[in-house]
């Protein structure tokens, strides 16, 4: 009883705070090469990776492999017990386990004999680092019965302390009466034991039996085990004191936990598949009492599983497979642990209830941000349990340093949820304001992209991060959110185990169409992880070249985060239609919002007829190649009307490529990708031979103004769009009172002066409605005196012409004090951008955000300058050429900070103006 009482006190002391997070490596399921586009306003549910592109992790840092151990750590606790003879030889007759630095636990049978026949020497470690000690005292259990093996347990006190290091470490003890492990390992020697320096060990897997026969019987003091892999060729010794153990996971390592000591089956040797083991837990008070009587500081708390695992973690063997798949996020010190938790885990929250509420159980739930104002959780976590009808008032995120509270605006519970059931057990919590968090994305598909997942639970901080050869401190014993790698478990196997869960009343609470099961054969140290209702089950997925976390399900019930026992979670995919209706405030009749395009053939229409796509857009029937938005409408699954002829489509008036058949400027701009394909191919081939010669940016121009003394200041950048026309900003043209006179094309990052061309400027055309105060219509054309010579070092780039969408992957080119920066930018919905702006966006403007990758310790940041090009590379499947670069925008204005909105002039909006004025 003393053990249980102290354990309760320790557990009650722990408090919830956030801590470390280790994630599985992101998976690539064929979406990394996506070339996505973002609409000006949100029009789809599955847009998380587009909406939050700025947070996408763009790389995974994989450190060098850890050095292998000099000597195996798997058997560092195993002692070989011997009887030294006068001749100097030692008969190593039996085994035991080191449980303290001066005590070895073995069977009482092992210690029988008097004088020279009694054990007098113990050996541990090896083969390289061997420690040998003499026996000071043998203490058998006072009620040991040699005739029937009852109370077959003994302690051997050593004459001096063992030096604890990587090769000799005490085992932990399993001191609970319940032994939940269906499989255990017994340890055997492969070498009989006459060697003075080494003993080789191996494990044999055993399963427990509930039987009673002459060789093996199960009682409260003994365990009956049966070998699952008996090899009769190896049963050459008569074992005594062989440990029965289980290896439990913590800190990306495993610690041995001694469950029993071989007792009765020594009569038949290891060839007997059934063997009896003395159960350690039954003798815990006797063991601790014996050591304390001998002035050893072996208090009960020192043997708690979490305390023992924590104390010796730096010496335990790594789980190499787990390290390999999660090594990219392993921190190396406490500062990094806490920093990572604050950057990664702030999307997981708990709920705050009114102080007068009697809902004691709900605060143990978790919720997950799925956008910056919406949290998903279980319905059972937010429905009132008390008669007062109270509900949570805020979502809270707790760290070691501060608590954040987010007031709740509304809670919507699934209409099909019935209190006390796990069917439709899901709820949407909307906050009063948007929060600066990186949310998880909702995985809308029934099939999981991979069977390995990250499962969030709660556990002790000190047992969940990896540090090699570092002393763990007890003050790190916080109860925290943790994340464990776990395996999908087929429902047909899971169903048979669910009845063992204490809070499972009926299997009718679950169904395979709505719930998922997760389980691993690897058990954990108690305290490492326990399930928290509502905790996300997720995985990082590579989409469009960046990694985003996708939540598949929310934990419903479980004990150990799937380790050894199944955890059940409610899948989000079956509820996507309902989630969409609540989160987007609109109804959907489909299981999701992704659908095939609807193509309508109207036989009454012909070329040049006025038409309607059925969605309110009026237009005219034109050849499909003249309609700039057809490809986008098909990609989005929108309705497209085909006129009588198959190549004629109904095109909205604003999306028609006007006069493209006859206007030479329009023709040149429209044919950009094909026109310069051979140049790009030649450039690619040259770079393949010597990349250092092709470092320049061939479409980028530097625009210069004459200064006193004959100097020229190149203050602004522009983008070459034809052989003699450069696009830049109107504000750029106001850099000096006088106009620019010269431009350098291809000079940025050029390795040699021969790689660029300098050309005089003939005229500058600023937009006639440019407003220098607001930046509206901030666009200008710089026309050269003559066309440049086209070659692999300087040739025109293309213009992005879609007027309804913006590429999700954008780059900006910026020069600052002689340094060229190519940085990422992410487009934002107009509505999302409003809160960062003092004035509304004009029709020809777009809102962009600087990248802030999730988890990045520091982010490089440079102030953009007006006129800086914003480009997009049109990724193709043609591998022998460079992708065509399209000018999407010209930077107009915006603050330098990472969270400032960046306003740019949207090129597609001014396409017709460019065509008219580029002559």
């Amino acid at each position: 009883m003393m053990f249980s009482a102290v354990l309760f006190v320790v557990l009650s002391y722990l408090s919830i705070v956030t801590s470390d997070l280790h994630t599985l490596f992101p998976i690539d399921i064929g979406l990394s090469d996506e070339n996505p586009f973002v609409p000006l306003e949100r029009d789809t549910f599955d847009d998380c990776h587009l909406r939050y592109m700025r947070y996408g992790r763009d790389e995974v840092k994989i450190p060098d492999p850890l050095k292998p151990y000099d000597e195996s750590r798997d058997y560092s606790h195993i002692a070989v017990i011997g009887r030294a003879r006068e001749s100097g030889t030692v008969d190593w007759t039996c085994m035991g386990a080191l449980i303290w630095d001066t005590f070895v636990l073995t069977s009482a049978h092992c210690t029988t004999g008097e004088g020279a026949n009694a054990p007098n020497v113990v050996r541990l470690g090896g083969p390289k680092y061997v420690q040998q000690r003499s026996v000071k005292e043998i203490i058998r259990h006072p009620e040991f019965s040699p005739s029937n093996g009852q109370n077959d347990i003994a302690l051997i006190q050593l004459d001096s302390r063992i030096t604890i290091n990587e090769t000799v470490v005490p085992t932990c003890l399993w001191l609970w009466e319940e032994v939940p492990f269906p499989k255990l390992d017994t340890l055997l020697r492969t070498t009989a034991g006459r060697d003075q320096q080494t003993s080789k060990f191996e494990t044999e897997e055993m399963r427990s039996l509930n039987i009673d026969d002459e060789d093996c019987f199960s009682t409260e003091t003994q365990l009956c085990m049966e070998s699952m892999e008996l090899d009769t060729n190896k049963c050459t010794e008569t074992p005594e004191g062989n440990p029965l153990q289980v290896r439990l996971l913590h800190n990306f390592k495993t610690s041995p936990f001694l469950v029993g000591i071989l007792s009765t089956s020594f009569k038949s040797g290891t060839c007997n598949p059934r063997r009896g083991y003395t159960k350690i837990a039954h003798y815990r008070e006797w063991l601790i009492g014996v050591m304390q009587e001998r002035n050893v500081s072996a208090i009960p708390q020192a043997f708690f599983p979490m305390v023992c695992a924590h104390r010796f973690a730096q010496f335990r063997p790594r789980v190499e497979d787990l390290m390999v798949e999660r090594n990219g996020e392993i921190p190396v010190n406490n500062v990094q642990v806490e920093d990572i938790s604050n950057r990664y885990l702030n999307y997981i929250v708990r709920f705050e209830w009114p102080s007068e509420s009697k809902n004691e159980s709900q605060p143990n739930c978790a919720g997950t941000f799925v956008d910056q104002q919406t949290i998903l959780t279980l319905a059972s976590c937010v429905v009132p349990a008390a008669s007062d009808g109270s509900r949570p008032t805020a979502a809270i995120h707790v760290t070691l340093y501060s608590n954040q509270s987010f007031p709740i605006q509304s809670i919507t519970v699934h209409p099909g949820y019935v209190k006390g059931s796990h069917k439709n057990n899901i709820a949407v919590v909307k906050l009063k304001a948007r929060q600066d968090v990186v949310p998880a994305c909702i995985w809308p598909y029934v099939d999981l992209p991979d069977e390995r997942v990250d499962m969030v639970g709660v556990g002790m901080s000190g047992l969940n991060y990896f540090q090699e050869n570092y002393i763990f401190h007890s003050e790190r014993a916080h109860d925290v959110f943790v994340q464990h790698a776990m395996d999908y478990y087929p429902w047909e196997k899971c169903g048979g185990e669910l009845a063992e869960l204490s809070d499972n009343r009926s299997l009718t609470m679950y169904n395979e169409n709505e719930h998922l099961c997760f389980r691993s054969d690897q058990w954990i140290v108690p305290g490492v992880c326990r399930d928290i209702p509502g905790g996300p089950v997720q995985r990082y997925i590579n989409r469009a070249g960046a990694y985003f976390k996708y939540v598949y399900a929310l934990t419903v019930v479980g004990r150990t985060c799937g380790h050894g026992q199944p955890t059940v979670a409610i899948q989000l995919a079956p509820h996507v239609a309902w989630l969409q209706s609540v989160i987007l405030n609109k109804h959907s009749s489909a299981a999701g919002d992704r659908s095939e395009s609807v193509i309508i053939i109207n036989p009454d229409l012909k070329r040049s007829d006025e038409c309607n796509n059925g969605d309110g857009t009026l237009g005219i029937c034109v050849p499909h190649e003249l309609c700039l938005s057809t490809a986008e409408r098909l990609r989005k699954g929108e309705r497209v009307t085909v006129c009588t002829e198959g190549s004629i489509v109904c095109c909205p008036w604003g999306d028609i490529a006007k006069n493209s058949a006859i206007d030479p400027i329009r023709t040149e701009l429209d044919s950009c990708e094909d026109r310069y394909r051979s140049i790009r191919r030649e450039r690619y081939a040259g770079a393949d031979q010597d990349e250092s010669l092709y470092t320049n940016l061939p479409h980028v121009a530097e625009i210069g103004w004459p200064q006193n003394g004959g100097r020229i200041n190149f203050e602004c950048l522009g983008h070459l769009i034809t052989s003699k026309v450069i696009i830049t900003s109107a504000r750029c043209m106001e850099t000096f009172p006088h106009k620019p006179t010269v431009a350098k094309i291809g000079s940025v990052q050029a390795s040699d002066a021969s790689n660029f061309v300098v050309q005089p400027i003939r005229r500058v055309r600023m937009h006639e409605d440019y407003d220098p105060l607001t930046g509206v219509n901030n666009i200008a054309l710089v026309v050269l005196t003559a066309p440049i010579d086209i070659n692999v070092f300087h040739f025109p780039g293309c213009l992005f012409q879609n007027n309804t969408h913006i590429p999700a992957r954008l780059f900006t080119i910026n020069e600052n004090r002689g340094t060229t920066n190519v940085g990422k930018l992410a487009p934002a919905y107009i509505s999302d951008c409003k809160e960062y702006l003092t004035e509304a966006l004009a029709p020809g403007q777009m809102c962009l955000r600087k990248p802030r990758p999730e988890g990045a310790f520091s982010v490089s940041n440079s102030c953009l300058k007006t006129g800086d090009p914003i480009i997009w590379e049109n990724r193709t499947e043609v591998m022998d050429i460079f992708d065509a670069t399209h000018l999407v925008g010209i930077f107009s204005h915006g603050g330098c900070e990472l969270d400032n909105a960046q306003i740019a002039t949207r090129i597609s909006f001014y396409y017709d103006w460019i065509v008219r004025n580029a002559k």
Side-chain angles (χ1 to χ4, degrees):
M1 293 301 295
M2 176 176 62
F3 176 83
S4 300
V6 178
L7 177 62
F8 176 79
V9 171
V10 172
L11 290 175
S12 301
Y13 178 73
L14 302 179
S15 60
I16 297 268
V17 293
T18 55
S19 182
D20 54 309
L21 169 68
H22 312 299
T23 62
L24 288 165
F25 281 142
I27 53 176
D28 188 347
I29 58 174
L31 299 176
S32 57
D33 293 329
E34 287 179 308
N35 220 348
F37 298 85
V38 181
L40 302 182
E41 280 296 358
R42 189 177 189 188
D43 64 354
T44 183
F45 189 58
D46 183 23
D47 68 338
C48 182
H49 65 295
L50 304 178
R51 192 179 188 187
Y52 300 112
M53 180 63 72
R54 73 182 297 238
Y55 300 115
R57 296 167 56 194
D58 51 8
E59 64 178 343
V60 175
K61 296 179 181 179
I62 304 177
D64 294 333
L66 294 170
K67 291 177 58 177
Y69 297 127
D70 293 335
E71 190 169 307
S72 172
R73 300 185 179 188
D74 291 335
Y75 306 105
S76 58
H77 58 297
I78 300 303
V80 184
I81 302 167
R83 293 168 168 83
R85 307 301 182 188
E86 293 182 358
S87 62
T89 62
V90 179
D91 293 331
W92 302 102
T93 55
C94 56
M95 299 169 63
L98 185 70
I99 65 168
W100 203 257
D101 58 5
T102 54
F103 280 91
V104 168
L105 181 62
T106 186
S107 65
H109 268 102
C110 171
T111 65
T112 57
E114 301 295 337
N117 291 323
N120 53 20
V121 64
V122 173
R123 186 180 66 201
L124 296 109
K128 188 175 181 180
Y129 303 107
V130 176
Q131 297 188 53
Q132 190 163 306
R133 298 289 185 272
S134 296
V135 173
K136 178 180 180 180
E137 182 183 7
I138 294 175
I139 310 100
R140 302 185 192 94
H141 193 278
E143 297 179 11
F144 167 58
S145 173
S147 60
N148 60 18
Q150 288 295 308
N151 304 305
D152 193 359
I153 189 169
L155 282 170
I156 295 178
Q157 186 176 14
L158 308 179
D159 66 338
S160 61
R161 296 179 184 274
I162 284 289
T163 301
I164 296 176
N165 56 34
E166 292 85 353
T167 61
V168 179
V169 191
T171 184
C172 297
L173 303 179
W174 185 258
L175 297 181
W176 278 303
E177 295 291 345
E178 179 189 5
V179 180
F181 320 111
K183 299 176 184 177
L184 296 166
D185 291 326
T186 190
L187 300 181
L188 308 172
R189 284 187 293 172
T190 59
T191 301
R194 301 299 178 182
D195 191 325
Q196 295 289 317
Q197 292 299 319
T198 63
S199 286
K200 296 181 179 180
F201 306 104
E202 65 178 14
T203 59
E204 181 182 2
E205 195 170 51
M206 311 286 286
R207 65 179 177 182
S208 60
L209 298 175
N210 186 19
I211 63 172
D212 188 359
D213 65 20
E214 60 180 9
D215 288 327
C216 187
F217 49 91
S218 293
T219 67
E220 63 177 6
T221 66
Q222 293 197 3
L223 292 170
C224 182
M225 307 295 296
E226 182 177 55
S227 174
M228 299 178 63
E229 50 186 30
L230 181 63
D231 185 350
T232 56
N233 294 321
K234 293 183 178 180
C235 49
T236 57
E237 68 165 341
T238 299
E240 291 185 36
N242 294 51
L244 180 72
Q245 68 176 35
V246 61
R247 297 202 74 96
L248 302 183
L249 179 69
H250 64 99
N251 300 107
F252 296 82
K253 302 179 177 184
T254 61
S255 286
F257 277 76
L258 189 65
V259 177
I261 288 289
L262 184 63
S263 174
T264 59
S265 66
F266 70 92
K267 299 176 182 177
S268 304
T270 55
C271 284
N272 185 354
R274 293 180 177 175
R275 301 164 214 163
Y277 292 82
T278 300
K279 193 175 179 181
I280 302 299
H282 185 76
Y283 300 94
R284 58 179 179 249
E285 278 80 12
W286 176 77
L287 292 171
I288 296 171
V290 167
M291 288 186 280
Q292 289 180 330
E293 288 172 1
R294 285 152 182 80
N295 297 319
V296 175
S297 58
I299 60 176
Q301 294 94 317
F303 293 94
F304 292 166
M306 63 181 69
V307 176
C308 178
H310 193 272
R311 184 168 65 245
F312 298 120
Q314 69 268 32
F315 301 126
R316 301 304 188 186
R318 302 182 297 259
V319 182
E320 298 292 351
D321 290 345
L322 191 60
M323 290 294 296
V324 167
E325 67 180 357
R326 297 170 81 89
N327 203 19
E329 301 297 337
I330 301 296
V332 296
N333 59 52
N334 291 329
V335 174
Q336 285 179 301
V337 166
E338 293 166 6
D339 178 71
I340 283 179
S341 71
N342 293 334
R343 288 179 286 141
Y344 275 105
L345 278 175
N346 63 347
Y347 72 100
I348 303 175
V349 297
R350 296 190 300 141
F351 296 104
E352 186 174 68
W353 291 74
S355 57
E356 66 276 8
S357 172
K358 297 180 180 179
N359 294 272
E360 292 86 1
S361 61
Q362 280 84 348
N364 294 321
C365 290
T368 302
F369 273 96
V370 292
D371 67 39
Q372 292 181 320
Q373 202 168 347
T374 306
I375 294 170
L376 289 190
T377 188
L378 303 182
S380 56
C381 289
V382 293
V383 296
S387 58
D388 60 4
S390 59
R391 287 190 171 194
T393 57
I396 55 175
H397 175 63
V398 184
T399 72
L400 287 172
Y401 311 106
S402 64
N403 296 353
Q404 293 177 289
S405 180
F406 313 126
I408 291 174
Q409 175 177 292
S410 65
I411 297 175
T412 306
V413 174
H414 194 290
Y417 172 68
V418 176
K419 192 173 180 180
S421 170
H422 291 310
K423 293 181 179 179
N424 302 309
N425 190 3
I426 192 168
V428 175
V429 177
K430 288 196 174 183
L431 305 180
K432 291 183 178 180
R434 190 192 310 271
Q435 304 301 324
D436 185 22
V437 299
V438 181
C441 301
I442 293 175
W443 184 251
Y445 310 106
V446 173
D447 293 334
L448 300 186
D450 192 84
E451 291 193 349
R452 290 282 274 172
V453 301
D454 285 317
M455 178 171 290
V456 172
V458 173
M460 183 188 289
S461 60
L463 296 177
N464 277 280
Y465 56 82
F466 174 83
Q467 293 180 333
E468 190 78 300
N469 298 324
Y470 183 86
I471 298 175
F472 290 74
H473 299 288
S474 59
E475 61 265 24
R476 293 288 167 185
H478 309 294
D479 223 7
V480 301
F481 284 128
V482 296
Q483 189 159 267
H484 279 242
M486 190 47 55
D487 299 313
Y488 168 77
Y489 197 45
W491 193 260
E492 56 271 18
K493 295 181 180 179
C494 179
E497 299 185 35
L498 289 179
E500 298 179 7
L501 297 177
S502 61
D503 48 2
N504 172 48
R505 292 180 295 277
S506 172
L507 291 181
T508 59
M509 298 175 67
Y510 313 99
N511 66 85
E512 60 183 320
N513 297 321
E514 188 183 10
H515 295 94
L516 299 174
C517 196
F518 301 93
R519 183 186 177 280
S520 166
D521 286 337
Q522 175 65 62
W523 290 73
I524 54 176
V525 172
V528 169
C529 188
R530 66 178 184 273
D531 295 276
I532 182 168
V537 178
Q538 63 191 36
R539 186 74 185 265
Y540 278 88
I541 296 175
N542 191 331
R543 295 201 71 171
Y547 308 122
F548 302 87
K549 55 179 177 285
Y550 275 85
V551 57
Y552 309 145
L554 304 177
T555 296
V556 171
V557 65
R559 290 177 176 175
T560 57
C561 302
H563 291 284
Q565 296 178 329
T567 287
V568 179
I570 186 167
Q571 191 175 12
L572 300 184
H575 302 286
V576 163
W578 177 77
L579 290 171
Q580 176 175 282
S581 69
V582 176
I583 294 175
L584 298 184
N585 293 316
K586 65 180 183 179
H587 296 284
S588 171
S589 60
D593 63 345
R594 300 174 64 94
S595 61
E596 299 296 330
S597 301
V598 178
I599 300 177
I600 304 298
I601 300 176
N602 190 335
D604 296 327
L605 295 175
K606 59 183 182 297
R607 183 170 180 170
S608 300
D609 283 351
E610 290 189 351
C611 58
N612 188 326
N613 276 312
D615 56 2
T617 58
L618 300 177
I620 190 171
C621 292
V622 299
H624 71 87
E625 63 270 16
L626 300 184
C627 187
L628 304 179
S629 62
T630 298
E632 284 304 304
R633 295 177 72 86
L634 291 171
R635 185 189 68 82
K636 291 165 51 185
E638 294 180 347
R639 178 168 172 165
V640 174
T641 298
V642 177
C643 303
T644 302
E645 300 177 38
S647 61
I648 308 299
V649 298
C650 181
C651 187
W653 285 102
D655 294 340
I656 300 173
K658 299 175 182 177
N659 303 318
S660 62
I662 57 175
D663 189 305
I665 296 295
R666 190 182 295 274
T667 300
E668 181 175 356
L669 295 177
D670 289 350
S671 62
C672 172
E673 286 205 12
D674 293 333
R675 181 182 292 264
Y676 301 110
R677 187 181 301 274
S678 61
I679 294 291
R680 296 199 306 274
R681 181 178 286 113
E682 182 182 349
R683 182 178 171 90
Y684 181 89
D688 191 47
Q689 296 297 318
D690 188 351
E691 189 174 358
S692 65
L693 299 177
Y694 297 84
T695 57
N696 74 315
L697 303 177
H699 320 312
V700 178
E702 295 180 277
I703 302 170
W705 283 259
Q707 306 293 310
N708 294 333
R711 293 184 303 108
I712 295 179
N713 275 9
F714 292 92
E715 292 292 332
C716 291
L717 297 181
H719 194 85
L720 186 72
I721 63 168
T722 73
S723 59
K724 60 181 297 187
V725 178
I726 297 167
I727 291 184
T728 187
S729 70
R731 185 167 290 175
C732 172
M733 296 298 96
E734 298 177 329
T735 303
F736 296 99
H738 52 285
K739 299 299 182 185
T741 59
V742 68
K744 292 191 296 186
I745 298 96
S747 57
V748 175
Q749 292 186 332
S751 59
D752 191 272
S754 62
N755 291 356
F756 61 88
V757 62
V758 180
Q759 195 81 326
I761 294 173
R762 180 164 66 89
R763 67 179 175 88
V764 172
R765 177 73 165 93
M766 295 169 59
H767 197 284
E768 56 274 13
D769 294 323
Y770 164 59
D771 184 346
L773 295 178
T774 64
V776 175
N777 300 312
N778 189 8
I779 188 170
L781 298 179
V782 175
V783 181
L784 306 177
T785 57
I788 67 168
D789 292 331
I790 302 298
N791 63 34
V792 293
F793 296 112
H794 34 76
F795 59 94
C798 304
L799 295 184
F800 185 73
Q801 300 181 24
N802 188 294
N803 208 26
T804 61
H805 287 68
I806 302 169
R809 291 188 309 227
L810 295 175
F811 296 88
T812 181
I813 301 167
N814 169 263
E815 274 200 315
N816 193 351
R817 298 181 180 179
T819 301
T820 303
N821 300 298
V822 179
K824 290 183 178 181
L825 283 176
Y829 295 138
I830 294 175
S831 58
D832 285 352
C833 198
K834 284 181 180 178
E835 62 183 270
Y836 302 99
L837 302 176
T838 56
E839 295 183 5
L841 286 180
Q845 293 177 329
M846 60 182 180
C847 180
L848 306 168
R849 305 293 305 280
K850 291 181 180 180
R852 202 180 75 188
E854 181 186 16
F857 185 76
S858 62
V859 180
S860 60
N861 180 32
S862 60
C863 294
L864 301 183
K865 297 169 63 177
T866 184
D868 286 348
I870 299 167
I871 61 173
W872 165 66
E873 290 186 347
N874 183 16
R875 293 186 179 181
T876 65
E877 295 182 359
V878 181
M879 301 303 295
D880 63 337
I881 61 171
F882 282 154
D883 296 327
T885 299
H886 291 248
L887 181 68
V888 178
I890 291 291
F891 178 69
S892 175
H893 58 278
C896 288
E897 300 301 321
L898 281 175
D899 287 331
N900 291 145
Q902 309 296 305
I903 308 304
T905 300
R906 185 155 46 89
I907 294 299
S908 62
F909 184 84
Y910 295 94
Y911 188 74
D912 288 340
W913 181 88
I914 294 169
V915 170
R916 289 195 304 270
N917 292 276
K919 298 182 173 68

